[in-house]
Amino acid sequence: MAVIGRLSRASRLLERAVKEEFARHGLESWEFDVLATLLRSGPPHVLSAGDLSAAAMVSSAALTNRVDRLVGKGLVDRAVDPGHRRRVLISLTDQGLRLVNEVVEHHLANERRLLEDLPAAERDQLAALLRRLLISLGDNGRGQAGT
């Protein structure tokens, strides 16, 4: 009970701190996730809707709603793939690229701050233990909680 209880409390506290950081930049966590996924794809920061859906681990219906909202904010563009007319491409706008690059820096600083009381060796040990736990729960790192 102690392990599960502490993991649950830590998860809630960490999630709240991360959400607060994103809110300082006018973003929801899901918005950052989509923008960061496009950023990780590398220049020109374009993915098909299907690839983005898979990488962001959301259904195509959820992705459509998210992309609609991000298009409305001017952070992403949606276009038909000229080489495959049934495929939709999602790309970062210049504004979206600037914002996500800025937020990534603040997000990483926030994560460092949240874990700063643990020495590096203990952070590494905790990461390894949590990875083992996730794997034992069926997480393969590609479609569930991640690594």
Side-chain angles (χ1 to χ4, degrees):
M1 288 178 66
V3 171
I4 301 298
R6 287 181 178 128
L7 281 172
S8 294
R9 286 190 356 242
S11 176
R12 285 191 301 273
L13 291 168
L14 291 167
E15 186 174 333
R16 182 173 62 205
V18 167
K19 282 183 177 183
E20 288 171 357
E21 182 60 38
F22 292 148
R24 282 192 256 290
H25 301 278
L27 290 176
E28 299 284 338
S29 295
W30 66 264
E31 291 173 309
F32 175 78
D33 185 46
V34 172
L35 297 174
T37 300
L38 288 166
L39 181 67
R40 283 190 306 271
S41 73
H45 309 296
V46 177
L47 288 172
S48 71
D51 289 343
L52 181 56
S53 177
M57 296 180 276
V58 296
S59 70
S60 60
L63 181 70
T64 297
N65 182 39
R66 291 174 181 196
V67 169
D68 286 346
R69 291 177 63 186
L70 290 168
V71 166
K73 291 176 93 170
L75 301 176
V76 302
D77 282 325
R78 175 191 295 124
V80 174
D81 184 344
H84 191 296
R85 295 182 55 181
R86 292 180 58 173
R87 197 164 90 153
V88 175
L89 299 176
I90 312 300
S91 61
L92 285 174
T93 62
D94 290 341
Q95 177 186 351
L97 181 59
R98 280 191 304 275
L99 179 62
V100 72
N101 276 321
E102 176 186 327
V103 175
V104 163
E105 288 183 37
H106 291 273
H107 177 56
L108 293 174
N110 188 41
E111 286 186 342
R112 283 190 295 273
R113 179 189 63 78
L114 291 168
L115 298 174
E116 69 188 359
D117 287 344
L118 292 176
E122 289 182 3
R123 286 192 306 266
D124 291 345
Q125 181 182 23
L126 179 59
L129 290 170
L130 290 171
R131 183 176 190 282
R132 282 182 47 203
L133 175 62
L134 288 168
I135 290 168
S136 77
L137 295 172
D139 185 342
N140 64 15
R142 287 177 282 149
Q144 288 86 9
T147 56

